[in-house]
Amino acid sequence: DIQMTQSPTSLSASVGDRVTITCQASQDIKSYLNWYQQKPGEAPNLLLYDASNLEPGVPSRFRGDGSGTDFTFTITSLQPEDFATYFCQQYEKVPFTFGPGTTVDL
Amino acid sequence: EVQLLESGGGLVQPGGSLRVSCEASEFSFGSYAMSWVRQAPGKGLEWVSTISGNSRTTYYADSVKGRFTISRDNSKKTLYLQMNSLRAEDTAVYYCAREAYGDYWIDYWGQGTLVTVSS
């Protein structure tokens, strides 16, 4: 199975900050990587697919980059509604594994 | 607006069975692969299973293979997850999810249904 790791596990930030999360795959997943946001008590929400493609309706402050095994997720200017947990997910191979998540709090 | 409405969760004893369902609306259900993703209390997301639009292809996580069965009834626009031989570690919120057309990212999620396995 492809293992996904994320760092950091959590981070504290302020409104307006630039926030970067990394996601690493245990083997080459090309660009088959998605990013989801989840707020407490809610279902996850797709932000980015294929590593860097913004889902329609998602603000442009969310950005993704990378290919192969190393990926980054950036919020260019953190907004109050962005405090949440972020998960990466690979879909190069079954099982479609998720990373453990990164919690962004105040 | 795409809607996915899960039902069927509840409390079940270890070793027991349960079937959860997901009723879909406002999209061409049979054209999309569908998945189940679960989340144990306070934990991360775990992909459980995916089924193609025509039911010909199914995939399972190793943790549920041989115990869980994913299926769908396109005439009823409903997705199912039959869970047998349930264990305490299967306790989780089970989300029904639509995979993007022709791809494998989840573009819509249900609100989830809680399955608790406990004696």
Side-chain angles (χ1 to χ4, degrees):
Chain A
D1 297 358
I2 298 175
Q3 309 302 318
M4 306 300 293
T5 57
Q6 285 182 238
S7 62
T9 301
S10 64
L11 66 92
S12 296
S14 301
V15 173
D17 284 354
R18 183 183 183 93
V19 168
T20 299
I21 298 167
T22 64
C23 176
Q24 188 168 56
S26 61
Q27 58 186 266
D28 185 356
I29 60 168
K30 305 176 181 66
S31 294
Y32 299 137
L33 185 91
N34 309 317
W35 289 97
Y36 301 91
Q37 175 193 65
Q38 187 179 34
K39 298 179 181 179
E42 298 183 7
N45 182 47
L46 176 68
L47 300 179
L48 296 154
Y49 61 91
D50 279 350
S52 61
N53 291 288
L54 204 62
E55 174 72 354
V58 173
S60 59
R61 64 180 180 273
F62 296 101
R63 296 182 182 174
D65 197 8
S67 65
T69 61
D70 295 303
F71 301 85
T72 58
F73 171 82
T74 300
I75 308 173
T76 57
S77 178
L78 196 67
Q79 298 302 299
E81 60 268 30
D82 300 338
F83 291 97
T85 300
Y86 295 86
F87 296 92
C88 59
Q89 181 205 22
Q90 68 80 22
Y91 66 101
E92 158 67 2
K93 290 182 182 177
V94 171
F96 299 141
T97 40
F98 288 89
T102 296
T103 299
V104 177
D105 58 26
L106 187 62
Chain B
E1 177 70 20
V2 168
Q3 292 196 15
L4 300 169
L5 186 60
E6 300 97 334
S7 61
L11 176 64
V12 60
Q13 291 190 339
S17 298
L18 196 68
R19 188 179 79 163
V20 292
S21 303
C22 170
E23 188 173 341
S25 59
E26 303 303 324
F27 68 100
S28 180
F29 182 70
S31 297
Y32 290 82
M34 298 293 294
S35 295
W36 290 98
V37 175
R38 69 184 180 183
Q39 186 168 36
K43 303 297 184 182
L45 301 170
E46 181 185 13
W47 171 82
V48 173
S49 183
T50 296
I51 186 169
S52 63
N54 59 15
S55 300
R56 290 178 184 169
T57 305
T58 58
Y59 303 109
Y60 295 95
D62 286 346
S63 58
V64 306
K65 200 173 295 182
R67 300 188 299 124
F68 289 12
T69 302
I70 191 171
S71 62
R72 63 193 296 162
D73 185 333
N74 287 347
S75 68
K76 295 182 179 179
K77 295 187 175 182
T78 302
L79 175 73
Y80 304 101
L81 185 68
Q82 176 67 44
M83 301 181 287
N84 298 331
S85 302
L86 282 160
R87 307 165 180 167
E89 54 265 34
D90 295 318
T91 294
V93 172
Y94 284 74
Y95 293 104
C96 167
R98 189 185 86 166
E99 301 285 349
Y101 185 78
D103 272 296
Y104 289 106
W105 55 83
I106 295 171
D107 58 359
Y108 286 95
W109 300 71
Q111 86 290 347
T113 188
L114 177 62
V115 173
T116 302
V117 184
S118 175
S119 56

